[in-house]
Amino acid sequence: MSEFVTKSVAQEQQVQKIETRTAVARIAGFALIATAMAALAVLGAAALFAQGQDKDKDKDKDKDKDKDKYSLVSPGGIAFSDFRGYEDWADVSCARTTEILKVIVANPTMINAYKAGVPGHGQPFPEGSMIVKLQWKLKKSTEAPFAVEVPDVFSQAFVMEKDSKRFSKSGGWGYAVFNYDPASDKFTADAKSPSDCGYACHTPVKAKDYIFHPYQKR
């Protein structure tokens, strides 16, 4: 009887040892998993932080580019900063030559005038109207299943602003050209763009307040 009891106690102790080892192994496993998850969380946070830093750097670079661009002034005294935000202005129309695609955009003052019927019936655009002709070189699309040419490299921003007192000798409009060099990713004021550089070209449409393009239906 005592031998049986002794065996039972020994077996129970053995079971307890196994259970203890199992519990320790489980705790160790949980600890390892928790450590791994914490490490992954740290790595993830570090990656997100790095991405944020990269985005901030990109934003800073864009801001620096805008500062450089908007510090330019044409030979005729027209500041590129007058047209700040033109990148988001509404489209008026578009045109193209054999090599150049031209997209015409205007500031809200001019867009509202267009919608009110200007320059119909000889109505002039209001003071402060601004219009920009954005130019791209063309290339044949390698993706479309049909023959089509698409914008390639941006090349130039041709700008006009309405200030009848300041530009009284050129129909109330001031003109300037800002060229873009893709190699350096920088704009420069065209040395051959006095404030009346587009006056002669636009004189044929004097009756439409010197503006070629109507606001196209959409």
Side-chain angles (χ1 to χ4, degrees), residues 6 34 39 78 85 116 118 133 137 142 163 169 176 192-193 198 201 213:
T6 301
I78 295 177
V118 178
K133 179 171 64 180
K137 293 181 179 179
T142 58
D163 187 331
K169 295 181 179 180
K192 299 178 180 179
S193 63
C201 179
H213 294 273

Side-chain angles (χ1 to χ4, degrees), residues 68-139:
D68 291 341
K69 176 171 70 175
Y70 288 130
S71 67
L72 298 173
V73 179
S74 74
I78 295 177
F80 206 174
S81 59
D82 289 351
F83 300 84
R84 188 183 298 274
Y86 73 87
E87 300 92 339
D88 299 317
W89 288 356
D91 296 337
V92 173
S93 184
C94 62
R96 62 159 292 174
T97 63
T98 54
E99 298 180 349
I100 299 293
L101 172 66
K102 306 176 182 184
V103 176
I104 294 85
V105 300
N107 70 344
T109 298
M110 193 161 180
I111 291 294
N112 289 336
Y114 267 124
K115 291 181 177 180
V118 178
H121 307 293
Q123 300 176 81
F125 285 96
E127 300 296 302
S129 292
M130 297 182 186
I131 192 165
V132 181
K133 179 171 64 180
L134 304 171
Q135 300 190 166
W136 286 265
K137 293 181 179 179
L138 291 167
K139 67 177 180 180

Side-chain angles (χ1 to χ4, degrees), residues 15-73:
V15 169
Q16 288 178 348
K17 288 180 180 180
I18 293 172
E19 289 178 346
T20 300
R21 289 173 183 172
T22 302
V24 170
R26 286 177 180 173
I27 292 171
F30 290 145
L32 181 61
I33 292 171
T35 301
M37 291 179 68
L40 288 172
V42 170
L43 290 173
L48 289 173
F49 178 77
Q51 289 178 0
Q53 293 291 95
D54 290 340
K55 288 181 180 179
D56 288 342
K57 288 180 181 178
D58 290 340
K59 288 181 180 178
D60 289 340
K61 288 180 180 178
D62 290 340
K63 287 180 180 179
D64 289 340
K65 289 177 184 177
D66 284 345
K67 286 181 181 178
D68 291 341
K69 176 171 70 175
Y70 288 130
S71 67
L72 298 173
V73 179

Side-chain angles (χ1 to χ4, degrees), residues 141-190:
S141 173
T142 58
E143 299 174 329
F146 48 84
V148 62
E149 291 183 311
V150 295
D152 184 12
V153 179
F154 183 72
S155 60
Q156 188 182 90
F158 173 83
V159 305
M160 294 174 61
E161 63 176 316
K162 184 72 174 286
D163 187 331
S164 298
K165 292 182 179 179
R166 185 180 174 191
F167 307 114
S168 59
K169 295 181 179 180
S170 53
W173 292 93
Y175 304 79
V177 176
F178 297 95
N179 297 315
Y180 175 73
D181 175 38
S184 62
D185 192 22
K186 289 185 177 181
F187 283 83
T188 56
D190 195 307

